[in-house]
Amino acid sequence: MWGYLSLLPMCLAFWAIAGIWTVFSLAVVNKAVNLTDGFPYISVCGNVPPQSCIFSQVLNVGAASAAWICILRYYQLRDWGVRKWHNQVILWTGLLCALGTSIVGNFQEKNQRSTHLTGAFLAFFVGILYFWLQLFLSWRMKNLPQPGAPWIGPLRLVLCSACFVLEVAMVVLHSWSMRSVSAICEWVVAMLLFILFGLLAVDFSRLDGCTLCLQPDSGSLRPPPDSPTSLHVQL
């Protein structure tokens, strides 16, 4: 039976996919984009109110959820015996992806283009690096647990490969002024990244819960004798 923590990646994938397409629908209905001129980039759909407000909220909630997922994954990999520096590199790439997602949502392209593009780079390119590092880790450490069906690993490899190829195509096509095709690549990449995050539900299926442990610094003042030295909260 899957634990409740496995719902977090699935909820993130559903929230992000539904939210992004809601923004697209509003942009079309409000005539913020014209499909006869070509397929729009995701950011173009979220440039003006009211869809820009929903766009920011969707990505902020998604970024917070992604950061929490990355932290849970860090501690799971730690318990599986992954080396600290390997694990920290994976964690920081995931957190940078979450940060980039929040930047994309809060700094619209037409207002802060350079900041927006920086966030997009972190969300897309560092985001896919997060999953490639985990694939490499599972290949390198043969004794690493592999929850789920045997086809989960190959599926992740296919999704990561497709995502990387489409990201390169997105950049190249944009430079060739083939904006509509480039935009389609961007939408597919976004959906693939959301699915990859959602697949972490398989890895979290073996988690029954997590515990928050607060401990005072060894150099800090000692607490009163009747106060606890640590606080354990079951989440």
Side-chain angles (χ1 to χ4, degrees):
M1 184 176 180
W2 286 24
Y4 70 91
L5 288 176
S6 60
L7 292 175
L8 184 57
M10 290 189 289
C11 288
L12 168 60
F14 176 79
W15 167 267
I17 292 174
I20 291 299
W21 284 106
T22 299
V23 170
F24 171 81
S25 301
L26 285 174
V28 173
V29 170
N30 294 330
K31 301 185 186 314
V33 296
N34 188 355
L35 296 181
T36 58
D37 295 334
F39 203 79
Y41 287 101
I42 298 174
S43 302
V44 174
C45 296
N47 261 341
V48 295
Q51 52 267 18
S52 62
C53 306
I54 300 174
F55 185 65
S56 297
Q57 187 68 10
V58 167
L59 293 192
N60 282 331
V61 173
S65 301
W68 183 234
I69 289 170
C70 293
I71 292 171
L72 288 176
R73 184 63 169 161
Y74 169 81
Y75 284 106
Q76 184 182 46
L77 292 176
R78 183 201 63 178
D79 293 342
W80 285 352
V82 176
R83 290 182 180 180
K84 185 176 181 179
W85 76 271
H86 286 167
N87 205 5
Q88 286 183 343
V89 170
I90 293 174
L91 172 64
W92 282 109
T93 54
L95 293 179
L96 285 174
C97 171
L99 174 63
T101 303
S102 180
I103 291 174
V104 168
N106 293 318
F107 296 88
Q108 279 76 34
E109 183 186 18
K110 74 171 187 176
N111 299 323
Q112 293 285 337
R113 181 176 174 81
S114 58
T115 307
H116 181 88
L117 291 178
T118 300
F121 173 81
L122 294 175
F124 284 107
F125 291 93
V126 179
I128 192 58
L129 178 61
Y130 175 70
F131 293 103
W132 273 117
L133 288 173
Q134 293 186 67
L135 275 175
F136 175 76
L137 187 67
S138 62
W139 171 78
R140 186 74 181 270
M141 297 181 63
K142 303 299 183 182
N143 60 338
L144 201 67
Q146 301 291 336
W151 50 265
I152 292 293
L155 175 61
R156 283 179 171 147
L157 178 60
V158 170
L159 293 177
C160 286
S161 301
C163 197
F164 176 75
V165 171
L166 288 170
E167 284 182 351
V168 174
M170 176 181 68
V171 175
V172 173
L173 291 170
H174 181 82
S175 66
W176 289 349
S177 297
M178 300 176 65
R179 304 297 168 84
S180 184
V181 183
S182 176
I184 293 173
C185 291
E186 182 194 42
W187 279 89
V188 177
V189 167
M191 298 303 110
L192 292 178
L193 286 173
F194 296 148
I195 292 171
L196 283 168
F197 267 106
L199 282 176
L200 287 174
V202 177
D203 301 276
F204 290 176
S205 63
R206 294 185 178 183
L207 298 177
D208 293 327
C210 61
T211 301
L212 174 65
C213 179
L214 303 178
Q215 294 180 332
D217 184 26
S218 58
S220 62
L221 295 176
R222 291 189 176 182
D226 58 344
S227 64
T229 57
S230 63
L231 173 64
H232 294 267
V233 181
Q234 187 72 26
L235 300 178

